[in-house]
Amino acid sequence: MLYILALLIGVVAGLRAMIAPATVAWGSYLGWIPVAGTWASFMGHWIAVGMFTVLAIVELVTDQLPSTPSRKVPQQFGARIVTGAFCGAVVGATIGGLIAGAIGAVIGTLGGAEARARMAAAFGKDPPAAFIEDAVAIIGGLLIVAAVA
């Protein structure tokens, strides 16, 4: 079950790179994800919660801009895979969680880019597609963290 949740948090990271660590940090801070005494214990600290929350908000705002870089460029793609792997490792609590999170990030990045392109074409512009993607990432991240609890 934890590997499935690790895969799904990786998908969220593929959609929005900073939503995943923000939700994992909040889940750790609230005690829903048991990280005390592990290598990921820093995720339960209020500084991590604040930092990842601010980064998630910045990402949500900048993603609405016309100059947003493609998530398929190597730097964006690599960052999403690393973020997904990290969040998967925290949620899955093992190396298997790390691998599942990385796979999920690849799925989320490629699938999300394709879905967003199709939604943007259907709406005739990108912002509505970005808002839908934001909502899916936020709600999905919250549900995954709640499921771990």
Side-chain angles (χ1 to χ4, degrees), residues 3 9 12 20 27-28 41 45 48 52 56 61 63-64 70-72 76 78 81 93 97-98 121-123 137 143:
Y3 292 147
I9 200 71
V12 169
S28 301
S41 61
H45 196 276
F52 285 121
V61 170
D63 191 57
Q64 312 308 318
S70 169
R71 68 182 73 193
K72 291 183 180 179
Q76 294 279 339
I81 292 171
L98 181 129
F123 291 123
L143 290 174

Side-chain angles (χ1 to χ4, degrees), residues 2-149:
L2 285 179
Y3 292 147
I4 292 171
L5 295 174
L7 177 82
L8 293 175
I9 200 71
V11 171
V12 169
L15 294 174
R16 290 285 175 266
M18 290 294 115
I19 293 287
T23 55
V24 168
W26 274 103
S28 301
Y29 180 73
L30 296 172
W32 297 349
I33 300 175
V35 295
T38 70
W39 62 270
S41 61
F42 71 94
M43 288 298 282
H45 196 276
W46 66 268
I47 293 174
V49 171
M51 179 184 68
F52 285 121
T53 300
V54 167
L55 288 172
I57 292 168
V58 167
E59 181 183 31
L60 291 175
V61 170
T62 59
D63 191 57
Q64 312 308 318
L65 303 174
S67 61
T68 302
S70 169
R71 68 182 73 193
K72 291 183 180 179
V73 298
Q75 299 86 350
Q76 294 279 339
F77 192 60
R80 290 172 188 272
I81 292 171
V82 169
T83 303
F86 170 74
C87 292
V90 174
V91 169
T94 63
I95 296 296
L98 181 129
I99 294 167
I103 292 169
V106 171
I107 293 168
T109 300
L110 298 177
E114 180 64 28
R116 182 167 173 171
R118 288 178 188 230
M119 285 191 294
F123 291 123
K125 52 188 171 180
D126 195 42
F131 288 130
I132 291 169
E133 196 175 46
D134 293 345
V136 168
I138 292 168
I139 293 168
L142 293 173
L143 290 174
I144 293 161
V145 169
V148 174

